[in-house]
């Protein structure tokens, strides 16, 4: 998996990935192990180097973390993640977040139409910016973060 990407090749996303590794399911004992965190980092770096047009987006750590926990195999987790990002989700989903913003708008419109009372209540509690941030976080992590 990583043979084509030697450690000496710099990755512009490494700093962001380093910040996100400890944030990945911090309450889950599976991620307490340094070996697991190292695998997670290698997968994320390898993908960022593989696909320069996408690189790394915050939330990828949750995708890969869940996959790694299920498979416990670094290479298999990498290829499952790659297939998910490159073959299942639309390419523009992460490039400039176009797909994610569209999905967020659709989700907010569905909530507004299906339960206007809850929609109005949520809007009164916080601003639209806050609601969009919550929706963005859910969509970026494909609801994985909320399922631990």
């Amino acid at each position: 998996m990583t043979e084509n990407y030697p450690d000496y090749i710099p990755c512009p996303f490494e700093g962001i990935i380093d910040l996100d590794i400890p944030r990945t399911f911090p309450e889950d004992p599976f991620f307490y192990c340094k070996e697991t965190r190292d695998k997670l980092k290698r997968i994320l770096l390898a993908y960022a180097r593989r696909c320069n047009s996408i690189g790394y987006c915050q939330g990828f750590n949750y995708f890969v973390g869940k996959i790694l926990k299920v498979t416990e195999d670094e290479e298999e987790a990498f290829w499952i993640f790659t297939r998910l990002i490159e073959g299942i989700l639309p390419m523009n989903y992460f490039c400039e977040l176009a797909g994610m913003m569209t999905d967020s708008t659709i989700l907010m419109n569905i909530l507004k139409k299906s339960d206007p009372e809850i929609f109005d209540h949520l809007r009164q509690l916080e601003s639209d910016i806050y609601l969009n941030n919550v929706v963005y976080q859910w969509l970026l992590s494909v609801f994985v973060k909320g399922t631990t």
Side-chain angles (χ1 to χ4, degrees):
M1 173 189 71
T2 57
E3 302 85 40
N4 297 330
Y5 302 103
D7 289 338
Y8 62 84
I9 297 176
C11 178
F13 301 100
E14 189 164 2
I16 297 168
I17 290 170
D18 284 339
L19 290 174
D20 281 350
I21 296 296
R23 299 175 184 158
T24 308
F25 306 117
E27 303 300 320
D28 187 334
F30 179 77
F31 295 96
Y32 294 171
C33 174
K34 182 182 180 334
E35 182 182 343
T36 301
R37 291 190 309 271
D38 289 347
K39 286 180 183 180
L40 180 61
K41 179 177 179 175
R42 285 191 299 268
I43 294 167
L44 294 169
L45 284 172
Y47 187 78
R49 291 173 176 143
R50 171 190 166 83
C51 187
N52 292 328
S53 62
I54 295 175
Y56 175 76
C57 293
Q58 289 183 320
F60 279 6
N61 55 317
Y62 294 111
F63 278 119
V64 174
K66 269 296 190 198
I67 296 167
L68 189 57
K69 186 173 180 179
V70 170
T71 66
E72 295 189 19
D73 180 87
E74 186 173 350
E75 186 168 356
E76 187 176 0
F78 172 82
W79 288 113
I80 290 170
F81 177 71
T82 298
R83 177 69 178 134
L84 177 67
I85 298 300
E86 295 176 10
I88 296 172
L89 291 171
M91 191 57 129
N92 74 342
Y93 202 83
F94 295 102
C95 296
E96 300 176 21
L97 302 178
M100 194 263 323
M101 288 188 290
T102 300
D103 286 350
S104 175
T105 300
I106 290 168
L107 184 60
M108 295 304 287
N109 286 334
I110 289 171
L111 178 61
K112 186 176 183 177
K113 288 179 182 180
S114 66
D115 200 329
E117 207 173 310
I118 288 178
F119 179 81
D120 289 340
H121 179 70
L122 290 172
R123 288 191 65 188
Q124 288 172 5
L125 290 176
E126 294 289 343
S127 69
D128 283 341
I129 293 170
Y130 173 78
L131 284 177
N132 282 331
N133 285 338
V134 170
V135 172
Y136 289 170
Q137 189 176 40
W138 286 341
L139 293 172
L140 278 177
S141 62
V142 188
F143 299 103
V144 168
K145 186 176 179 187
T147 62
T148 57

